[in-house]
Amino acid sequence: MKSLRVLSIASEIFPLIKVGELADVTGALPISLKAEGVEVRTIIPGYPGVINSLGQVDGVIHLPNFFGAEARLLRATSFELSLFVLDAPHLFARPGNPYVRADGMDWPDNALRFAALARIAADIGLGFVPSFVPDVVHAHDWHGALALAYMHYSDRQRPATVMTVHNLSYQGVFPQEMLAAIDLPPESFAMHGVEYYGRIGFLKAGLYFADRITTVSPTYAREILSDEGGMGLAGLLRERSCDLSGILNGIDISVWDPSTDPHIPGCFYPDVSSGFETEVLHNRAINKAALQRRLGLQVAPDAFMLGIIGHLSSKKGVDLLLENLPTIMREGMQLVVLGNGGSRSLQYRYRTAAQSNPGQVSVMIGHDEGLAHLIQAGADALVVPSRFEPCGLTQLCALRYGTVPIVSRVGGLEDTVVDVDDLATTGGGQTGFKFAPVNAENLGDTIQRACTTFHDVAAWRRIQRNGMSTDVSWRNPARRYADLYGELIEVPQEKVA
Ligand code: GLC
């Protein structure tokens, strides 16, 4: 039987180019979908890092004048991923971050850059590459969303379409004057088209034209229907709510595998049925001590150690933890922070906290994959106090590594952690601590609650065991996406009015 073919459109993909968790998803999902009989090929921009690390290139199509200059469409395989790469040096051959310049400002031609990505994706969707004609085109976030509009305004028969929202706060909004430059017809600038509050909305267009919309957790799928959570798009999303669903992310359990993890001194099998005390606890203690030594903290096995991994931004709610720092310090806890980016003022406040509390607080700013693994394998609890969090992946890694998550009750955090005081509704049992509404006082109380439980050795072990036996892999989510694609190609496509 011919497998179902999907063209995925992504602006980043792990391990070739990663800015955020989006890359983890676009990199892992295609591999897991293979087991479901779905063949995914992903179209990505040819940033320098991508071009330099391409594996086998087995096809080149020349595009003599593509969005202002010569470009090429490469067909390649890299790290088990089947790819199309848009090699358009005038748009993508730039150093640094894919989205912003060194000074943190957006690249001024982002509309053109990602319209180009979407345009070539739409062309592939409409049969431009005869050897790969997809049944479904699946766009991730605003960067690929316009493909769905291009296909709508074409006369050719189009494949089914899915639009996945990873984060509604990035919408790709550009001035109306760009319409001709990005090759859209004048009639597209309408409410029933790409127009969005007088400008062109890339994500809006994707949400309007997609056959199905997904987001990365069931709770976030509900939150974005509210005026606050919808960030300007709630009206449209409410109209489309019958076609909207939430599918939780998974993590790549071959990368996040405590039994083989090259970044940690004490490896352990996450199989909790046997050897929990000797295997898991013993090796977690080795990792905790290694972490304390590496970061210059007091080597204190009984100090309750909190970890934070992620952007130091107010979206992530990490300012709320700083407000609780005096109490956390007074109680003799330790805090380990790995902040990859975020606001300058929060980075500064965290650095100052580390300087003022030597031996108890460690703050490292930047990307350090090895340290992220060691924190997951050695800290006692991972704090994720996000103000909004479509899914979040770090709490899933924490569950698998026996680090107990302390999270706000928003988005995917609500869906992936079961509070110790909640009645467990799914098989996994209670796995962590949650708080709402998201404010400093509630976070502080919840950290206290966790710290008290930490000193109740039997109770803490039970929570760790429950977390470690939760299935956080891509197996179930991949099945859900495969089912969704399957449903879509069974029904003949109608054009949106
Ligand atoms: C975005 C969201 C995050 C989610 C990720 C992958 O980064 O903010 O919550 O886990 O996308 O879907």
Side-chain angles (χ1 to χ4, degrees):
M1 199 183 85
K2 178 181 156 291
S3 58
L4 200 144
R5 282 185 167 171
V6 176
L7 177 71
S8 168
I9 317 171
S11 56
E12 46 184 283
I13 190 166
F14 182 84
L16 283 107
I17 169 82
K18 170 169 166 166
V19 176
E21 291 179 349
L22 169 64
D24 295 308
V25 174
T26 57
L29 184 55
I31 313 272
S32 299
L33 277 168
K34 255 186 222 164
E36 303 299 324
V38 178
E39 181 191 343
V40 181
R41 192 167 273 277
T42 307
I43 167 103
I44 52 169
Y47 312 114
V50 168
I51 300 288
N52 296 337
S53 58
L54 275 190
Q56 192 193 328
V57 175
D58 48 27
V60 180
I61 299 177
H62 289 275
L63 308 163
N65 184 10
F66 189 72
F67 281 73
E70 197 179 336
R72 299 183 309 161
L73 179 66
L74 311 177
R75 186 182 168 126
T77 311
S78 189
F79 299 100
E80 283 184 72
L81 295 163
S82 305
L83 303 171
F84 283 120
V85 177
L86 178 58
D87 179 22
H90 62 299
L91 301 173
F92 300 118
R94 301 172 192 181
N97 185 291
Y99 314 121
V100 296
R101 304 186 303 206
D103 63 3
M105 301 294 285
D106 285 354
W107 291 109
D109 56 349
N110 269 354
L112 275 186
R113 298 171 77 224
F114 293 105
L117 179 73
R119 173 77 260 181
I120 196 73
D123 290 343
I124 298 169
L126 298 170
F128 179 61
V129 182
S131 58
F132 188 87
V133 180
D135 301 296
V136 179
V137 169
H138 185 166
H140 293 272
D141 276 354
W142 71 268
H143 314 92
L146 218 51
L148 281 46
Y150 288 129
M151 290 195 288
H152 173 81
Y153 293 107
S154 144
D155 295 332
R156 319 227 350 221
Q157 197 189 340
R158 68 165 178 90
T161 54
V162 177
M163 176 79 236
T164 292
V165 177
H166 295 263
N167 186 343
L168 207 59
S169 61
Y170 299 109
Q171 302 187 350
V173 181
F174 301 100
Q176 177 185 0
E177 294 69 47
M178 293 298 301
L179 202 66
I182 60 175
D183 199 19
L184 277 168
E187 71 269 22
S188 69
F189 195 75
M191 194 173 87
H192 300 293
V194 305
E195 187 272 338
Y196 182 54
Y197 297 111
R199 306 211 279 163
I200 304 169
F202 280 32
L203 182 61
K204 184 264 168 156
L207 295 174
Y208 184 74
F209 288 116
D211 293 325
R212 290 293 188 87
I213 301 168
T214 72
T215 184
V216 287
S217 68
T219 295
Y220 194 57
R222 280 192 302 276
E223 288 170 352
I224 58 178
L225 298 180
S226 72
D227 288 339
E228 194 195 344
M231 298 178 166
L233 288 160
L236 171 58
L237 286 164
R238 283 197 287 262
E239 264 172 45
R240 301 233 42 204
S241 58
C242 293
D243 298 315
L244 166 69
S245 59
I247 303 179
L248 274 178
N249 289 331
I251 53 168
D252 185 338
I253 57 168
S254 65
V255 174
W256 291 98
D257 182 355
S259 70
T260 56
D261 196 324
H263 304 292
I264 64 177
C267 287
F268 52 90
Y269 278 95
D271 172 8
V272 291
S273 52
S274 62
F276 189 75
E277 307 278 328
T278 49
E279 168 90 17
V280 179
L281 297 183
H282 175 75
N283 285 298
R284 282 191 52 84
I286 291 176
N287 297 329
K288 184 170 176 178
L291 194 54
Q292 288 166 327
R293 272 195 300 274
R294 172 165 166 187
L295 302 175
L297 298 176
Q298 290 151 23
V299 182
D302 296 330
F304 184 47
M305 187 197 275
L306 306 172
I308 288 208
I309 303 173
H311 283 256
L312 298 182
S313 62
S314 75
K315 177 219 159 190
K316 293 284 178 188
V318 291
D319 49 310
L320 306 175
L321 190 96
L322 282 173
E323 286 187 45
N324 285 290
L325 200 65
T327 323
I328 293 174
M329 294 297 97
R330 226 178 14 249
E331 301 273 325
M333 301 182 208
Q334 294 186 342
L335 174 65
V336 175
V337 178
L338 174 58
N340 55 1
S343 89
R344 270 171 216 230
S345 79
L346 276 166
Q347 291 181 19
Y348 172 77
R349 287 172 66 197
Y350 267 97
R351 279 210 188 92
T352 311
Q355 279 156 11
S356 321
N357 298 283
Q360 245 184 308
V361 178
S362 158
V363 173
M364 143 100 196
I365 309 285
H367 180 73
D368 187 332
E369 195 69 16
L371 184 58
H373 283 243
L374 189 56
I375 295 174
Q376 293 285 15
D380 297 302
L382 186 84
V383 188
V384 194
S386 304
R387 289 193 165 85
F388 79 99
E389 193 65 76
C391 181
L393 302 182
T394 53
Q395 82 280 11
L396 300 180
C397 303
L399 289 171
R400 183 157 163 82
Y401 274 58
T403 298
V404 174
I406 299 175
V407 304
S408 50
R409 284 186 184 272
V410 299
L413 300 173
E414 172 74 312
D415 296 333
T416 52
V417 177
V418 182
D419 188 274
V420 291
D421 292 333
D422 285 351
L423 286 180
T425 44
T426 51
Q430 289 95 347
T431 55
F433 297 83
K434 301 201 278 196
F435 66 97
V438 189
N439 61 38
E441 193 185 342
N442 290 337
L443 172 62
D445 291 347
T446 307
I447 290 175
Q448 282 298 341
R449 194 155 61 92
C451 186
T452 309
T453 313
F454 174 69
H455 294 295
D456 175 346
V457 174
W460 193 258
R461 284 176 198 176
R462 187 166 33 80
I463 301 166
Q464 285 180 298
R465 276 174 192 265
N466 287 343
M468 293 176 83
S469 38
T470 305
D471 183 0
V472 292
S473 75
W474 270 106
R475 206 166 38 117
N476 286 325
R479 201 160 290 161
R480 295 273 315 271
Y481 280 106
D483 288 347
L484 177 77
Y485 300 147
E487 282 166 29
L488 277 175
I489 61 164
E490 269 165 26
V491 284
Q493 297 315 307
E494 281 171 29
K495 285 207 167 188
V496 184

